[in-house]
């Protein structure tokens, strides 16, 4: 597909500097771009890579100067580049409302207009699926689940019974929603399972990455708030109440009955203890362990997690330990020498 720089600028509402009629055939990143390609420069740190790039044009922020090649200035180069890639690499979309004859759909299930169901998908008794949702091949939807409109369920996703999904939810391959929580009582040396009789509610505009899990509540719901984005390989335990617009990076583990406020960020491999509450806008650094509540607007790090400035002071203190140890040895030598003279 060949387009001009001017056309690309119109797609992303950007300002063209340089030849607007230059033909562009593809979009690639700075390191891979070739003549005829457009690339993007996210910030001034990428300037040297832009100068050495073979790309014919670039999408840039306002701070990037002209270097002889056409540029398109926009407020957000990354998102503008993503939009251009979608245009240039567009593929025909699958038709809505195509229900495979190889799918198993219970007679009581209700599919709204435009629902697409792939081969070998299973939709159980009493399920309701909203308009224009897509259930890909091999997905399993348990009994009495409710799925909103324009929701996408990728291959091999499993929804246990009674799960509730809002509109525009995206569940990537291998996600499991509504499995039993890890709840046991020990009696006379035997672990006895506590029945997990609740469900999972996922609000609108949530995206959950591949092979992540959200366990059902013990008696009520485990909730994931609207707009929250969860990476691959994340575990959310039973009874958790996750706020709106949270970001959970890969390998996060949130133990049962924990709660987060809105706009919380958990970096990779963070662990949250059971019943812990994180306030709104809390950010937790990578590989941290959080054993206690954190008030709103705190940035914490470490295991156990403490405020970031405290961790920085501790880090520099630890770095000085060898020096301090040597100073203590020298002080001890002087004290010992003084003690000998006094004895004389």
């Amino acid at each position: 597909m060949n387009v001009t720089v001017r056309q690309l600028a119109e797609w992303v509402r950007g300002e063209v500097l340089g030849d607007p009629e230059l033909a562009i055939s593809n979009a690639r990143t700075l390191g891979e771009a070739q003549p005829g390609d457009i690339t993007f420069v996210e910030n001034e740190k990428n300037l040297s890579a832009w100068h050495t790039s073979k790309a014919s044009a670039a999408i840039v922020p306002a701070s990037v100067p002209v270097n002889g090649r056409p540029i398109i200035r926009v407020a957000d180069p990354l998102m503008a580049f993503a939009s251009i890639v979608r245009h240039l690499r567009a593929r025909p979309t699958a038709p809505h409302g195509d229900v495979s004859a190889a799918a198993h759909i219970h007679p009581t299930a209700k599919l709204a207009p435009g629902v697409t169901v792939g081969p070998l998908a299973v939709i159980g008794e009493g399920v309701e699926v909203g308009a224009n949702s897509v259930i890909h091949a091999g997905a399993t939807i348990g009994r009495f689940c409710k799925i909103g409109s324009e929701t996408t369920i990728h291959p091999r996703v499993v929804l246990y019974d009674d799960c509730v999904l809002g509109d525009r939810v995206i569940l990537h391959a291998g996600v499991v929603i509504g499995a039993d929580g890890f709840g046991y009582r020990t009696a006379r040396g035997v672990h006895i399972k506590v029945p997990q009789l609740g469900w999972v509610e996922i609000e609108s505009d949530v995206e959950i990455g591949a092979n992540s899990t959200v366990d059902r509540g013990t008696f009520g719901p485990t909730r994931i708030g609207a707009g929250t984005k969860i990476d691959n390989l994340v575990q959310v335990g039973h009874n958790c109440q996750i706020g709106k617009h949270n970001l959970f990076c890969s390998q996060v583990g949130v133990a049962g009955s924990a709660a987060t406020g809105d706009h919380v960020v958990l970096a990779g491999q963070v662990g949250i203890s059971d019943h812990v509450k994180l306030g709104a806008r809390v950010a937790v650094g990578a590989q941290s362990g959080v054993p206690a509540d954190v008030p709103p607007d705190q940035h914490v790090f470490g295991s156990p997690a403490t405020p970031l400035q405290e961790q920085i002071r501790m880090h520099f203190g630890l770095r000085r330990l060898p020096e301090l140890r040597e100073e203590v040895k020298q002080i001890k030598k002087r004290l010992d020498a003084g003690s000998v003279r006094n004895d004389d």
Side-chain angles (χ1 to χ4, degrees):
M1 180 179 184
N2 287 319
V3 295
T4 65
V5 171
R6 184 196 306 277
Q7 288 173 299
L8 296 179
E10 290 172 355
W11 289 349
V12 297
R13 299 181 182 178
E15 175 193 11
V16 178
L17 298 176
D19 182 5
E21 303 307 322
L22 180 70
I24 298 296
S25 59
N26 205 347
R28 293 188 177 94
T29 57
L30 277 167
E32 297 182 351
Q34 299 297 317
D37 293 345
I38 190 166
T39 188
F40 77 104
V41 180
E42 190 164 11
N43 52 53
E44 293 183 8
K45 294 179 181 178
N46 305 126
L47 276 180
S48 60
W50 162 231
H51 292 317
T52 59
S53 172
K54 298 177 182 178
S56 296
I59 304 162
V60 303
S63 59
V64 170
V66 177
N67 71 347
R69 288 173 285 181
I71 58 175
I72 301 173
R73 284 183 171 164
V74 296
D76 190 337
L78 173 61
M79 296 307 293
F81 184 73
S83 176
I84 285 174
V85 169
R86 279 196 296 267
H87 274 88
L88 293 178
R89 301 180 189 173
R91 298 176 180 176
T93 57
H96 279 293
D98 183 10
V99 178
S100 172
H104 179 81
I105 303 173
H106 195 278
T108 62
K110 297 178 181 178
L111 307 185
V115 170
T116 301
V117 183
L120 304 182
V122 177
I123 300 179
E125 177 186 359
V127 169
E128 298 178 13
V129 183
N132 300 318
S133 288
V134 179
I135 299 172
H136 283 275
T140 300
I141 313 300
R143 299 181 309 156
F144 306 110
C145 289
K146 291 180 172 58
I147 298 170
S149 62
E150 299 180 20
T151 285
T152 302
I153 297 176
H154 283 282
R156 303 293 182 182
V157 167
V158 176
L159 269 60
Y160 281 59
D161 295 350
D162 303 310
C163 293
V164 179
L165 275 58
D167 300 332
R168 299 172 299 282
V169 171
I170 301 173
L171 303 182
H172 287 279
V175 165
V176 177
I177 304 296
D180 281 1
F182 194 68
Y184 297 88
R185 288 288 184 267
T186 303
R188 297 182 295 277
V190 176
H191 303 306
I192 300 171
K193 184 179 180 70
V194 175
Q196 303 294 299
L197 305 175
W199 63 96
V200 174
E201 294 180 4
I202 297 177
E203 296 181 359
S204 296
D205 300 302
V206 169
E207 183 167 0
I208 300 181
N211 296 318
S212 291
T213 62
V214 181
D215 290 345
R216 67 178 51 248
T218 305
F219 301 114
T222 299
R223 288 192 179 93
I224 309 293
T228 287
K229 313 299 182 184
I230 296 176
D231 199 358
N232 303 334
L233 299 171
V234 170
Q235 156 75 8
V236 178
H238 60 182
N239 303 321
C240 287
Q241 305 295 305
I242 306 303
K244 302 179 188 300
H245 305 292
N246 283 204
L247 292 174
F248 291 1
C249 298
S250 182
Q251 298 183 23
V252 159
V254 184
S257 300
T260 65
D262 297 341
H263 298 281
V264 168
V265 178
L266 305 183
Q269 296 186 334
V270 163
I272 308 296
S273 294
D274 59 289
H275 295 85
V276 163
K277 292 179 174 56
L278 306 184
R281 298 171 298 283
V282 163
V284 183
Q287 295 189 325
S288 297
V290 184
D293 294 356
V294 180
D297 299 300
Q298 292 283 313
H299 288 201
V300 297
F301 180 72
S303 188
T306 56
L308 183 59
Q309 291 304 314
E310 183 178 330
Q311 281 289 332
I312 291 172
R313 289 194 295 271
M314 291 170 60
H315 173 72
F316 283 108
L318 286 171
R319 289 182 62 183
R320 287 200 62 211
L321 277 180
E323 177 186 342
L324 292 172
R325 183 172 180 272
E326 187 60 32
E327 289 178 3
V328 170
K329 285 171 64 177
Q330 295 301 323
I331 293 170
K332 186 174 183 297
K333 284 182 181 179
R334 289 197 291 269
L335 290 173
D336 289 345
S339 176
V340 171
R341 285 195 296 272
N342 288 336
D343 290 343
D344 291 345

